[in-house]
Amino acid sequence: MTAEPRPWLAPSASGPVGATVRLPGSKSMTARALVLAALADGPSVVERPLRARDTELMAAGLRAIGVAVDSSDDERWRLEPGPLRGPARVDVGLAGTIMRFLPPAAALAEGTVEFDGDPHARNRPLRPIVEALRSLGVSIDASATGGLPLTVRGAGLVEGGEAVIDASGSSQFVSGLLLSAPRFTKGLVLRHEGPPVPSAPHLRMTTHMLRAAGAVVDESVPDVWAVEPGPLRGRTWVIEPDLSGAAPFFAAAMVTGGSVTLGGWPAESWQPVGRLVELLTALGAEVTQSADGLTVRGSGQLHGITADLSEVSELTPVVSALAALADGPSELRGVEHIRGHETDRIAALATELGKAGAEVTEFRDGLRIEPRPLHQTDWETYADHRMAHAAAVIGLAVPGITLTDVGCTSKTLPEFPELWAGLVARS
Ligand SMILES: O=C(O)C1=C[C@@H](OP(=O)(O)O)[C@@H](O)[C@H](O)C1
Ligand SMILES: C=C(OP(=O)(O)O)C(=O)O
């Protein structure tokens, strides 16, 4: 079920913002922790999880297949694995993490598990993971396009072994298979064949977390991941603040010449903080880390950049917004696969930035953005939280940016409108 659209006038800043923001846990880490906890040999605790549509639906999906998930405490979700079983129905919403991480787990269940989601979820690519699972002996019915709706006919076990996949459309195909692979009878040796796999840091997050749960993983050969069969340990997962969710808040410091600190940032992170720092620095920010957190300071001056965003493709909307406010042109490439994200983000950004007055050239794999004086527009959000973040960033500097629906931010940060208004009020 999707809620009624909630139009929202993005607030403009009257001066530099200055704030420490506390954001909930990483969507990607929470999703992995929940799946690993569900497949473990004992109870787990997920501390400081993200509570948002993607992770609530993940928890609901796991409950549907037999896992006890107690999410009553915001700070600490408790999971007690049980025998995985159907029949069950899983609503994936618009979450890539659910539609790619849960079918392999459902294959381990005894019984039928049906997956479906929001209208646009049916357009998101799934075929490669479906075909890889079939090659591993799993019975799956998929739509004519190879995607949702999907029915996994779990046999209570997956034999596993060797599989080949083209994961150029999403790193989540690989992550999804790897997360369940220790529970496959023969484990898994997965080989990617095709154009490069995007989002390498997300793959590293998957292998780090698998090892932290006791799995034996070899990724020494490029594009090959080998996971030995064996138990996953229940444990306590401490989730880091969501770095991608923080990106628009950092952008606010940069657009207004202010300063934003992400509180609670760990000394060592499993998220691609190095790449984010490089990008924000090239765009004109100063980034520092201290006991207070990760701080981004803007000078009020933004520079155009040429960048390959394939490792951090989910940052493309916010980086594009910054590029549209910069002092020179930018070229952002290497992200063809984001045409299969929550919406076709390349087309959506070209259209909406163009409507606001920027001169945008669309490439198959990215965008060239020539800043121009921007003006008010009704900004279509396409049910995409990060299109909403991009609009909010533009709105700081351009009065009259009205989002067609700010409600879509509930995918990863339901409190976004309030947090953003609070930040801008301190400008
Ligand atoms: O595994 C994950 O948690 C994610 C991987 C990436 O997916 P793609 O490789 O499809 O871009 C990223 O964009 C997405 O937001 C989250
Ligand atoms: C691509 C994204 O999400 P998903 O996990 O649904 O793929 C995103 O959050 O930018």
Side-chain angles (χ1 to χ4, degrees):
M1 275 277 292
T2 39
E4 282 295 298
R6 200 174 135 203
W8 189 71
L9 175 65
S12 297
S14 47
V17 301
T20 294
V21 290
R22 300 213 165 259
L23 294 180
S26 150
K27 169 196 83 171
S28 294
M29 285 186 71
T30 304
R32 285 163 176 75
L34 291 175
V35 173
L36 290 169
L39 299 174
D41 59 4
S44 291
V45 176
V46 182
E47 281 188 11
R48 298 201 287 276
L50 171 66
R51 184 187 289 284
R53 185 166 185 243
D54 278 13
T55 52
E56 301 241 45
L57 286 176
M58 178 71 92
L62 291 171
R63 279 185 202 109
I65 60 171
V67 183
V69 186
D70 176 357
S71 56
S72 54
D73 181 342
D74 282 343
E75 290 296 306
R76 219 162 263 102
W77 290 5
R78 297 176 191 282
L79 285 90
E80 187 89 50
L84 299 178
R85 43 125 188 92
R89 282 178 171 220
V90 175
D91 177 5
V92 310
L94 190 49
T97 46
I98 307 178
M99 69 174 83
R100 280 94 181 227
F101 294 2
L102 284 198
L108 291 162
E110 233 168 280
T112 295
V113 184
E114 293 174 339
F115 291 87
D116 204 354
D118 294 357
H120 185 73
R122 291 186 171 196
N123 301 335
R124 299 195 66 184
L126 265 187
R127 188 194 285 278
I129 191 168
V130 167
E131 286 181 355
L133 282 168
R134 282 185 180 141
S135 79
L136 294 166
V138 179
S139 164
I140 307 187
D141 301 336
S143 75
T145 58
L148 295 170
L150 208 72
T151 302
V152 178
R153 300 183 193 287
L157 58 85
V158 175
E159 190 169 4
E162 292 187 13
V164 177
I165 195 165
D166 176 353
S168 55
S170 174
S171 63
Q172 292 173 344
F173 301 148
V174 175
S175 289
L177 290 165
L178 297 187
L179 287 169
S180 288
R183 293 278 306 269
F184 296 172
T185 312
K186 293 183 180 161
L188 178 67
V189 177
L190 184 64
R191 196 172 72 245
H192 161 72
E193 279 180 6
V197 187
S199 315
H202 280 101
L203 290 175
R204 287 195 290 274
M205 182 190 283
T206 301
T207 52
H208 274 310
M209 291 183 71
L210 272 164
R211 287 194 191 101
V216 178
V217 185
D218 180 354
E219 54 190 325
S220 56
V221 179
D223 286 342
V224 179
W225 300 266
V227 181
E228 287 181 16
L232 289 164
R233 280 194 301 270
R235 50 163 284 159
T236 295
W237 297 100
V238 181
I239 308 298
E240 302 171 7
D242 195 307
L243 192 62
S244 302
F249 296 89
F250 291 148
M254 296 167 67
V255 170
T256 64
S259 164
V260 166
T261 298
L262 175 61
W265 185 252
E268 300 233 337
S269 169
W270 287 353
Q271 298 175 79
V273 61
R275 191 72 190 103
L276 179 89
V277 171
E278 273 170 25
L279 273 172
L280 299 190
T281 307
L283 283 155
E286 190 199 349
V287 187
T288 51
Q289 188 167 351
S290 71
D292 295 337
L294 189 64
T295 299
V296 174
R297 284 189 190 80
S299 61
Q301 192 73 15
L302 292 165
H303 308 310
I305 56 166
T306 298
D308 183 322
L309 296 185
S310 57
E311 291 212 335
V312 285
S313 60
E314 63 186 1
L315 298 180
T316 309
V318 165
V319 171
S320 298
L322 290 169
L325 297 169
D327 57 10
S330 291
E331 211 167 287
L332 309 172
R333 305 293 289 258
V335 290
E336 181 178 355
H337 74 288
I338 72 171
R339 293 186 180 277
H341 275 182
E342 283 78 337
T343 186
D344 176 341
R345 284 181 171 160
I346 295 178
L349 286 164
T351 304
E352 302 311 312
L353 289 171
K355 273 164 54 185
E359 201 176 305
V360 185
T361 311
E362 194 180 323
F363 303 112
R364 188 180 40 80
D365 72 332
L367 298 157
R368 179 179 166 82
I369 300 169
E370 307 247 10
R372 296 280 180 264
L374 300 183
H375 50 72
Q376 68 76 223
T377 190
D378 286 340
W379 179 288
E380 170 66 50
T381 46
Y382 305 89
D384 182 352
H385 53 150
R386 300 202 204 275
M387 284 300 290
H389 299 165
V393 170
I394 302 269
L396 292 168
V398 182
I401 301 288
T402 304
L403 286 65
T404 53
D405 177 26
V406 77
C408 61
T409 55
S410 65
K411 185 174 192 285
T412 49
L413 186 57
E415 51 276 56
F416 177 79
E418 294 71 35
L419 283 173
W420 193 258
L423 178 73
V424 182
R426 274 170 275 153
S427 66

